[in-house]
Amino acid sequence: MRIIGLDAARSLAIVLAMSSHVYVEAGLHPHIPDQLSQILRFAFQIATPTFILLFGTMLEVIYQPRWTTAPARRQVAARLVSRALQCWVLYAISILALFVTNDQYSLRFSIGTMLFMGNSPYTEILKFYAVVLALAPVLLWLRARLGLWPLVVAALAYHAAWPLLTALPDAHHDLGAPIHIGRLVMFTTGFGDLQLAGPSILHGLTLVVAGQLLGRYLLGGSAQGLHTVDPGTDQGFQRRVSALFAGAVLAAMTGALALPDGAFAKLADGSFRMDSHGLYFAAGVVSATLMTIMFVWLIDIKQAGSTAAWTRLTFFGRTSMFTFAWGNILLYLVDVTPAGAAASLFWAILLLLAVCVMSYGFDLAARRSQTVVTGLSILKRPVDRMAQSLLNLPRRFQNAR
Protein backbone atom coordinates (compact mmCIF):
# COMPACT_ATOMS: atom_id res chain seq x y z
CA MET A 1 0.00 0.00 0.00
CA ARG A 2 1.32 3.45 -0.91
CA ILE A 3 0.59 6.58 1.13
CA ILE A 4 -0.03 9.10 -1.63
CA GLY A 5 -0.01 12.02 0.80
CA LEU A 6 3.73 11.52 1.26
CA ASP A 7 4.25 11.84 -2.50
CA ALA A 8 2.07 14.96 -2.57
CA ALA A 9 4.02 16.63 0.25
CA ARG A 10 7.34 15.82 -1.43
CA SER A 11 6.04 17.17 -4.76
CA LEU A 12 4.89 20.43 -3.15
CA ALA A 13 8.27 20.82 -1.44
CA ILE A 14 10.02 20.48 -4.80
CA VAL A 15 7.63 23.00 -6.38
CA LEU A 16 8.41 25.44 -3.54
CA ALA A 17 12.16 24.93 -3.97
CA MET A 18 12.05 25.49 -7.73
CA SER A 19 9.70 28.46 -7.24
CA SER A 20 12.31 29.95 -4.93
CA HIS A 21 14.97 29.66 -7.63
CA VAL A 22 12.64 31.10 -10.28
CA TYR A 23 11.69 33.92 -7.87
CA VAL A 24 15.35 34.95 -7.72
CA GLU A 25 16.12 34.35 -11.40
CA ALA A 26 13.15 36.40 -12.63
CA GLY A 27 13.91 39.26 -10.22
CA LEU A 28 10.48 39.28 -8.58
CA HIS A 29 11.61 40.39 -5.13
CA PRO A 30 11.69 44.20 -5.72
CA HIS A 31 8.14 44.15 -7.11
CA ILE A 32 6.40 42.36 -4.22
CA PRO A 33 5.31 44.06 -0.97
CA ASP A 34 7.62 43.27 1.95
CA GLN A 35 5.09 41.39 4.06
CA LEU A 36 3.97 39.17 1.18
CA SER A 37 7.57 38.64 0.11
CA GLN A 38 8.49 37.54 3.63
CA ILE A 39 5.65 34.99 3.72
CA LEU A 40 6.64 33.65 0.29
CA ARG A 41 10.29 33.32 1.25
CA PHE A 42 9.37 31.54 4.49
CA ALA A 43 7.36 29.05 2.44
CA PHE A 44 10.35 28.61 0.14
CA GLN A 45 12.65 28.02 3.13
CA ILE A 46 10.60 25.13 4.53
CA ALA A 47 10.93 23.21 1.26
CA THR A 48 14.39 21.85 2.06
CA PRO A 49 13.62 20.47 5.55
CA THR A 50 10.41 18.97 4.15
CA PHE A 51 12.00 16.74 1.54
CA ILE A 52 14.90 15.85 3.86
CA LEU A 53 12.43 14.84 6.56
CA LEU A 54 10.43 12.85 4.00
CA PHE A 55 13.60 11.05 2.95
CA GLY A 56 13.89 9.86 6.56
CA THR A 57 10.25 8.79 6.46
CA MET A 58 10.95 6.72 3.33
CA LEU A 59 13.92 5.10 5.07
CA GLU A 60 11.64 4.01 7.91
CA VAL A 61 8.59 2.85 5.97
CA ILE A 62 10.28 1.32 2.91
CA TYR A 63 13.94 0.49 3.53
CA GLN A 64 14.03 -0.37 7.24
CA PRO A 65 11.53 -3.28 6.88
CA ARG A 66 13.81 -4.74 4.18
CA TRP A 67 16.89 -4.42 6.42
CA THR A 68 16.61 -8.01 7.65
CA THR A 69 18.94 -10.65 6.19
CA ALA A 70 22.50 -10.03 4.99
CA PRO A 71 21.59 -10.38 1.28
CA ALA A 72 18.65 -8.00 1.71
CA ARG A 73 20.81 -5.47 3.56
CA ARG A 74 23.39 -5.60 0.78
CA GLN A 75 20.69 -5.06 -1.85
CA VAL A 76 19.30 -2.05 0.02
CA ALA A 77 22.77 -0.59 0.55
CA ALA A 78 23.65 -1.05 -3.14
CA ARG A 79 20.48 0.76 -4.21
CA LEU A 80 21.12 3.69 -1.86
CA VAL A 81 24.79 4.04 -2.81
CA SER A 82 23.85 3.87 -6.50
CA ARG A 83 21.37 6.70 -5.96
CA ALA A 84 24.10 8.65 -4.17
CA LEU A 85 26.43 8.28 -7.15
CA GLN A 86 23.63 9.33 -9.52
CA CYS A 87 23.10 12.48 -7.43
CA TRP A 88 26.81 13.27 -7.56
CA VAL A 89 26.96 12.80 -11.35
CA LEU A 90 24.01 15.16 -11.82
CA TYR A 91 25.58 17.64 -9.41
CA ALA A 92 28.85 17.51 -11.35
CA ILE A 93 26.95 18.13 -14.61
CA SER A 94 25.25 21.16 -13.07
CA ILE A 95 28.63 22.57 -12.00
CA LEU A 96 29.93 21.95 -15.52
CA ALA A 97 27.01 24.04 -16.81
CA LEU A 98 28.04 26.84 -14.42
CA PHE A 99 31.65 26.57 -15.59
CA VAL A 100 30.48 27.09 -19.17
CA THR A 101 28.00 29.90 -18.48
CA ASN A 102 29.35 31.75 -15.42
CA ASP A 103 32.71 33.55 -15.52
CA GLN A 104 33.02 33.33 -11.73
CA TYR A 105 33.32 29.53 -11.94
CA SER A 106 36.95 28.95 -12.89
CA LEU A 107 38.20 25.46 -13.66
CA ARG A 108 39.87 25.22 -10.23
CA PHE A 109 36.79 26.43 -8.34
CA SER A 110 34.50 24.19 -10.40
CA ILE A 111 36.57 21.09 -9.63
CA GLY A 112 36.67 22.05 -5.95
CA THR A 113 32.89 22.51 -5.99
CA MET A 114 32.38 19.07 -7.53
CA LEU A 115 34.44 17.70 -4.62
CA PHE A 116 32.12 19.39 -2.06
CA MET A 117 34.52 22.29 -1.41
CA GLY A 118 32.54 25.03 -3.14
CA ASN A 119 29.03 26.32 -3.54
CA SER A 120 26.43 26.56 -6.29
CA PRO A 121 23.39 28.83 -6.58
CA TYR A 122 20.62 26.22 -6.73
CA THR A 123 21.86 22.62 -6.83
CA GLU A 124 23.43 22.24 -3.38
CA ILE A 125 20.68 19.79 -2.41
CA LEU A 126 22.11 17.30 -4.93
CA LYS A 127 25.47 17.54 -3.16
CA PHE A 128 23.77 17.05 0.17
CA TYR A 129 21.80 14.03 -1.04
CA ALA A 130 24.89 12.47 -2.64
CA VAL A 131 26.46 12.26 0.82
CA VAL A 132 23.33 11.47 2.86
CA LEU A 133 22.26 8.67 0.52
CA ALA A 134 25.73 7.16 0.85
CA LEU A 135 25.46 7.40 4.65
CA ALA A 136 21.91 6.01 4.72
CA PRO A 137 23.03 2.33 5.01
CA VAL A 138 25.02 3.29 8.12
CA LEU A 139 21.95 5.04 9.53
CA LEU A 140 19.83 1.95 8.83
CA TRP A 141 22.45 -0.24 10.51
CA LEU A 142 22.47 1.99 13.60
CA ARG A 143 18.67 2.04 13.59
CA ALA A 144 18.57 -1.77 13.55
CA ARG A 145 21.27 -2.19 16.23
CA LEU A 146 20.37 0.61 18.66
CA GLY A 147 16.75 1.41 17.92
CA LEU A 148 15.35 4.79 16.94
CA TRP A 149 15.38 6.65 20.25
CA PRO A 150 19.18 6.80 20.68
CA LEU A 151 19.32 8.44 17.24
CA VAL A 152 16.66 10.95 18.32
CA VAL A 153 18.64 11.75 21.50
CA ALA A 154 21.84 12.21 19.47
CA ALA A 155 20.04 14.52 17.03
CA LEU A 156 18.64 16.67 19.84
CA ALA A 157 22.02 16.74 21.58
CA TYR A 158 23.69 18.06 18.43
CA HIS A 159 21.24 20.95 18.26
CA ALA A 160 21.56 21.58 22.00
CA ALA A 161 25.32 21.94 21.53
CA TRP A 162 24.80 24.79 19.02
CA PRO A 163 26.02 27.61 21.39
CA LEU A 164 29.18 25.65 22.20
CA LEU A 165 29.94 24.58 18.65
CA THR A 166 29.41 28.06 17.15
CA ALA A 167 32.02 29.38 19.58
CA LEU A 168 34.72 27.06 18.21
CA PRO A 169 37.46 28.60 16.01
CA ASP A 170 36.63 28.85 12.32
CA ALA A 171 38.78 26.49 10.23
CA HIS A 172 39.56 29.12 7.57
CA HIS A 173 39.60 32.50 9.29
CA ASP A 174 40.87 31.46 12.74
CA LEU A 175 42.98 28.37 12.08
CA GLY A 176 44.36 29.40 8.70
CA ALA A 177 43.12 26.36 6.75
CA PRO A 178 42.62 26.83 2.99
CA ILE A 179 39.19 28.18 2.12
CA HIS A 180 38.31 24.92 0.36
CA ILE A 181 38.90 23.04 3.61
CA GLY A 182 36.85 25.64 5.49
CA ARG A 183 33.95 25.11 3.11
CA LEU A 184 34.23 21.33 3.49
CA VAL A 185 34.20 21.61 7.29
CA MET A 186 31.16 23.86 7.20
CA PHE A 187 29.36 21.60 4.73
CA THR A 188 29.99 18.68 7.08
CA THR A 189 29.32 20.29 10.47
CA GLY A 190 27.36 23.46 9.75
CA PHE A 191 29.72 25.67 11.73
CA GLY A 192 32.10 28.37 10.53
CA ASP A 193 32.11 31.92 9.18
CA LEU A 194 31.80 31.10 5.48
CA GLN A 195 28.57 31.75 3.60
CA LEU A 196 27.11 28.37 2.61
CA ALA A 197 23.42 27.72 2.07
CA GLY A 198 23.15 24.64 4.30
CA PRO A 199 21.93 22.54 5.88
CA SER A 200 25.12 20.72 6.76
CA ILE A 201 25.42 16.94 6.62
CA LEU A 202 25.20 16.51 10.40
CA HIS A 203 22.31 18.94 10.78
CA GLY A 204 20.55 17.38 7.82
CA LEU A 205 20.87 13.95 9.39
CA THR A 206 18.90 15.24 12.37
CA LEU A 207 16.04 16.02 9.95
CA VAL A 208 16.38 12.51 8.52
CA VAL A 209 16.02 11.10 12.04
CA ALA A 210 12.92 13.27 12.58
CA GLY A 211 11.53 11.76 9.38
CA GLN A 212 12.27 8.26 10.64
CA LEU A 213 10.35 9.09 13.81
CA LEU A 214 7.43 10.30 11.72
CA GLY A 215 7.54 7.09 9.67
CA ARG A 216 7.51 4.94 12.79
CA TYR A 217 4.54 6.87 14.14
CA LEU A 218 2.60 6.46 10.90
CA LEU A 219 3.22 2.70 10.95
CA GLY A 220 2.18 2.43 14.58
CA GLY A 221 5.46 0.75 15.51
CA SER A 222 4.98 -2.06 12.96
CA ALA A 223 8.18 -3.52 11.55
CA GLN A 224 6.46 -4.69 8.35
CA GLY A 225 6.40 -1.35 6.55
CA LEU A 226 3.57 -0.08 4.39
CA HIS A 227 2.27 -3.61 3.75
CA THR A 228 0.45 -3.43 7.09
CA VAL A 229 -1.27 -0.09 6.40
CA ASP A 230 -4.47 0.56 4.47
CA PRO A 231 -5.14 4.28 5.05
CA GLY A 232 -8.74 4.03 3.88
CA THR A 233 -9.78 1.33 6.38
CA ASP A 234 -7.11 1.18 9.11
CA GLN A 235 -8.75 3.00 12.02
CA GLY A 236 -5.56 2.99 14.07
CA PHE A 237 -3.71 4.74 11.24
CA GLN A 238 -6.54 7.25 10.88
CA ARG A 239 -6.52 8.05 14.60
CA ARG A 240 -2.75 8.52 14.59
CA VAL A 241 -2.88 10.85 11.59
CA SER A 242 -5.77 12.88 13.01
CA ALA A 243 -4.02 13.24 16.38
CA LEU A 244 -0.75 14.31 14.77
CA PHE A 245 -2.58 16.72 12.47
CA ALA A 246 -4.16 18.44 15.47
CA GLY A 247 -0.86 18.41 17.35
CA ALA A 248 1.05 19.88 14.39
CA VAL A 249 -1.52 22.67 13.99
CA LEU A 250 -1.26 23.48 17.70
CA ALA A 251 2.55 23.40 17.59
CA ALA A 252 2.62 25.68 14.53
CA MET A 253 0.25 28.21 16.14
CA THR A 254 2.15 28.15 19.45
CA GLY A 255 5.49 28.49 17.67
CA ALA A 256 4.26 31.42 15.57
CA LEU A 257 3.07 33.26 18.68
CA ALA A 258 6.23 32.49 20.65
CA LEU A 259 8.76 33.54 17.99
CA PRO A 260 11.09 36.30 19.22
CA ASP A 261 11.02 39.67 17.45
CA GLY A 262 12.79 39.48 14.12
CA ALA A 263 12.96 35.67 14.11
CA PHE A 264 10.40 35.24 11.32
CA ALA A 265 12.40 37.59 9.10
CA LYS A 266 15.57 35.57 9.72
CA LEU A 267 13.72 32.35 8.95
CA ALA A 268 12.43 33.88 5.72
CA ASP A 269 15.70 35.37 4.45
CA GLY A 270 17.75 32.24 5.19
CA SER A 271 19.88 33.76 7.97
CA PHE A 272 18.96 31.06 10.49
CA ARG A 273 19.51 28.38 7.84
CA MET A 274 23.05 29.60 7.08
CA ASP A 275 23.81 29.88 10.82
CA SER A 276 22.51 26.34 11.50
CA HIS A 277 20.23 27.89 14.12
CA GLY A 278 17.96 25.53 16.02
CA LEU A 279 14.88 27.61 15.22
CA TYR A 280 15.31 26.88 11.51
CA PHE A 281 15.24 23.15 12.13
CA ALA A 282 12.40 23.37 14.66
CA ALA A 283 10.31 25.43 12.23
CA GLY A 284 11.25 23.03 9.45
CA VAL A 285 10.19 19.93 11.38
CA VAL A 286 6.87 21.44 12.47
CA SER A 287 6.07 22.88 9.02
CA ALA A 288 7.11 19.70 7.19
CA THR A 289 5.10 17.50 9.55
CA LEU A 290 2.04 19.74 9.26
CA MET A 291 2.20 19.82 5.45
CA THR A 292 2.78 16.07 5.19
CA ILE A 293 0.06 15.06 7.62
CA MET A 294 -2.40 17.48 6.02
CA PHE A 295 -1.90 15.76 2.65
CA VAL A 296 -2.10 12.27 4.18
CA TRP A 297 -5.33 13.21 5.99
CA LEU A 298 -6.82 14.87 2.91
CA ILE A 299 -5.82 12.30 0.26
CA ASP A 300 -5.41 8.96 1.99
CA ILE A 301 -8.02 9.23 4.73
CA LYS A 302 -10.66 11.63 3.42
CA GLN A 303 -9.91 10.48 -0.15
CA ALA A 304 -10.46 13.91 -1.70
CA GLY A 305 -10.13 13.18 -5.41
CA SER A 306 -9.29 9.97 -7.23
CA THR A 307 -6.09 8.08 -6.60
CA ALA A 308 -5.22 8.20 -10.31
CA ALA A 309 -5.55 12.00 -10.41
CA TRP A 310 -3.31 12.48 -7.37
CA THR A 311 -0.77 10.04 -8.79
CA ARG A 312 -0.53 12.11 -11.97
CA LEU A 313 -0.23 15.34 -9.98
CA THR A 314 2.62 14.06 -7.81
CA PHE A 315 5.05 13.54 -10.68
CA PHE A 316 7.58 15.89 -9.04
CA GLY A 317 8.00 13.34 -6.26
CA ARG A 318 9.08 10.74 -8.84
CA THR A 319 11.40 13.07 -10.78
CA SER A 320 13.15 14.90 -7.95
CA MET A 321 16.73 14.25 -9.10
CA PHE A 322 15.87 15.12 -12.71
CA THR A 323 14.12 18.33 -11.62
CA PHE A 324 16.87 19.54 -9.31
CA ALA A 325 19.51 18.85 -11.94
CA TRP A 326 18.04 19.73 -15.33
CA GLY A 327 15.49 22.23 -14.05
CA ASN A 328 18.21 24.27 -12.38
CA ILE A 329 20.57 23.85 -15.35
CA LEU A 330 17.81 25.45 -17.42
CA LEU A 331 17.90 28.42 -15.02
CA TYR A 332 21.69 28.59 -15.38
CA LEU A 333 21.41 28.71 -19.16
CA VAL A 334 18.62 31.31 -19.34
CA ASP A 335 19.88 34.84 -18.77
CA VAL A 336 16.88 37.10 -18.29
CA THR A 337 16.88 40.81 -17.41
CA PRO A 338 13.23 41.76 -16.96
CA ALA A 339 12.36 45.46 -17.08
CA GLY A 340 9.51 45.96 -14.65
CA ALA A 341 7.06 43.94 -12.59
CA ALA A 342 5.04 42.60 -15.52
CA ALA A 343 8.13 41.27 -17.29
CA SER A 344 9.42 39.66 -14.07
CA LEU A 345 6.09 37.95 -13.48
CA PHE A 346 5.97 36.77 -17.11
CA TRP A 347 9.43 35.21 -16.89
CA ALA A 348 8.70 33.65 -13.50
CA ILE A 349 5.56 31.95 -14.84
CA LEU A 350 7.30 30.90 -18.05
CA LEU A 351 10.35 29.44 -16.31
CA LEU A 352 8.31 27.57 -13.70
CA LEU A 353 6.02 26.24 -16.42
CA ALA A 354 9.05 25.08 -18.41
CA VAL A 355 10.40 23.19 -15.39
CA CYS A 356 6.98 21.56 -14.85
CA VAL A 357 6.72 20.52 -18.50
CA MET A 358 10.26 19.09 -18.46
CA SER A 359 9.62 17.06 -15.31
CA TYR A 360 6.17 15.86 -16.37
CA GLY A 361 7.50 14.87 -19.78
CA PHE A 362 10.36 12.93 -18.22
CA ASP A 363 8.01 11.17 -15.79
CA LEU A 364 5.62 10.27 -18.61
CA ALA A 365 8.43 8.97 -20.82
CA ALA A 366 10.02 7.00 -17.98
CA ARG A 367 6.69 5.26 -17.27
CA ARG A 368 5.42 4.69 -20.80
CA SER A 369 8.34 4.61 -23.24
CA GLN A 370 10.26 1.35 -23.34
CA THR A 371 13.03 3.13 -25.26
CA VAL A 372 13.49 5.65 -22.45
CA VAL A 373 13.34 2.91 -19.81
CA THR A 374 15.99 0.91 -21.66
CA GLY A 375 18.17 3.99 -22.13
CA LEU A 376 17.98 4.91 -18.44
CA SER A 377 18.80 1.32 -17.51
CA ILE A 378 21.90 1.37 -19.74
CA LEU A 379 23.04 4.66 -18.19
CA LYS A 380 22.54 3.28 -14.67
CA ARG A 381 24.51 0.08 -15.19
CA PRO A 382 28.01 1.54 -14.71
CA VAL A 383 26.78 3.44 -11.65
CA ASP A 384 25.27 0.27 -10.17
CA ARG A 385 28.53 -1.60 -10.81
CA MET A 386 30.51 1.18 -9.13
CA ALA A 387 28.17 1.02 -6.12
CA GLN A 388 28.74 -2.73 -5.86
CA SER A 389 32.49 -2.19 -6.11
CA LEU A 390 32.43 0.39 -3.32
CA LEU A 391 30.50 -1.99 -1.08
CA ASN A 392 33.04 -4.73 -1.85
CA LEU A 393 36.01 -2.59 -0.75
CA PRO A 394 35.88 -3.51 2.99
CA ARG A 395 35.77 -7.22 2.14
CA ARG A 396 38.67 -6.88 -0.32
CA PHE A 397 40.68 -4.95 2.24
CA GLN A 398 40.02 -7.60 4.89
CA ASN A 399 41.02 -10.41 2.49
CA ALA A 400 44.20 -8.55 1.58
CA ARG A 401 45.18 -8.47 5.23
Side-chain angles (χ1 to χ4, degrees), residues 62-352:
I62 294 177
Y63 292 105
Q64 190 67 45
R66 301 176 187 173
W67 196 263
T68 51
T69 64
R73 289 194 292 270
R74 183 173 181 81
Q75 187 177 20
V76 169
R79 178 177 174 81
L80 290 168
V81 172
S82 176
R83 295 279 288 178
L85 292 171
Q86 291 171 48
C87 274
W88 181 83
V89 169
L90 290 171
Y91 179 66
I93 291 173
S94 73
I95 301 305
L96 179 62
L98 281 171
F99 171 69
V100 172
T101 61
N102 192 324
D103 293 338
Q104 295 181 351
Y105 279 75
S106 65
L107 178 61
R108 180 180 179 183
F109 182 72
S110 297
I111 293 173
T113 303
M114 291 179 188
L115 298 176
F116 309 148
M117 294 183 287
N119 202 25
S120 67
Y122 304 138
T123 53
E124 288 299 277
I125 193 62
L126 288 172
K127 176 176 75 173
F128 172 85
Y129 264 118
V131 177
V132 171
L133 278 162
L135 292 175
V138 178
L139 200 60
L140 289 170
W141 179 80
L142 289 171
R143 164 74 175 88
R145 292 291 298 269
L146 304 176
L148 185 55
W149 287 109
L151 299 181
V152 173
V153 170
L156 292 174
Y158 193 65
H159 285 292
W162 185 81
L164 175 64
L165 295 173
T166 52
L168 293 176
D170 175 76
H172 174 60
H173 293 108
D174 298 326
L175 301 180
I179 191 169
H180 289 80
I181 301 301
R183 292 194 188 104
L184 186 60
V185 169
M186 191 166 181
F187 170 59
T188 304
T189 67
F191 299 109
D193 295 333
L194 299 172
Q195 294 294 304
L196 294 182
S200 70
I201 294 300
L202 293 179
H203 283 99
L205 285 174
T206 66
L207 290 171
V208 175
V209 172
Q212 290 178 286
L213 191 62
L214 174 61
R216 179 181 179 181
Y217 178 82
L218 289 175
L219 295 178
S222 170
Q224 302 303 313
L226 291 178
H227 300 294
T228 62
V229 175
D230 184 353
T233 60
D234 189 332
Q235 293 186 353
F237 177 81
Q238 294 174 4
R239 284 194 297 269
R240 291 193 298 273
V241 168
S242 299
L244 186 56
F245 192 9
V249 170
L250 181 61
M253 293 175 61
T254 303
L257 293 173
L259 276 179
D261 290 341
F264 186 78
K266 290 184 177 180
L267 286 170
D269 66 16
S271 299
F272 278 168
R273 173 175 170 168
M274 286 187 287
D275 290 343
S276 299
H277 197 286
L279 275 180
Y280 168 75
F281 296 96
V285 169
V286 172
S287 301
T289 301
L290 177 57
M291 185 167 72
T292 301
I293 292 300
M294 179 187 70
F295 275 120
V296 173
W297 181 81
L298 180 68
I299 300 171
D300 297 286
I301 294 179
K302 295 301 179 181
Q303 298 179 347
S306 70
T307 301
W310 280 110
T311 300
R312 286 194 295 271
L313 286 172
T314 56
F315 63 89
F316 271 122
R318 296 185 294 273
T319 62
S320 55
M321 282 201 299
F322 175 91
T323 303
F324 281 126
W326 300 106
N328 285 313
I329 287 174
L330 172 67
L331 299 184
Y332 294 157
L333 297 177
V334 176
D335 184 17
V336 298
T337 53
S344 291
L345 182 60
F346 168 79
W347 278 108
I349 294 172
L350 186 63
L351 289 172
L352 190 57

Side-chain angles (χ1 to χ4, degrees), residues 10-69:
R10 183 165 57 248
S11 294
L12 179 57
I14 295 169
V15 170
L16 288 173
M18 294 307 300
S19 298
S20 171
H21 303 166
V22 167
Y23 180 86
V24 173
E25 201 66 28
L28 271 176
H29 175 65
H31 309 296
I32 295 181
D34 287 343
Q35 288 186 334
L36 177 58
S37 174
Q38 204 169 85
I39 293 171
L40 282 174
R41 286 183 290 137
F42 174 79
F44 296 153
Q45 286 296 324
I46 67 170
T48 299
T50 297
F51 46 73
I52 295 176
L53 183 140
L54 285 171
F55 170 67
T57 304
M58 290 298 104
L59 283 183
E60 185 68 18
V61 303
I62 294 177
Y63 292 105
Q64 190 67 45
R66 301 176 187 173
W67 196 263
T68 51
T69 64

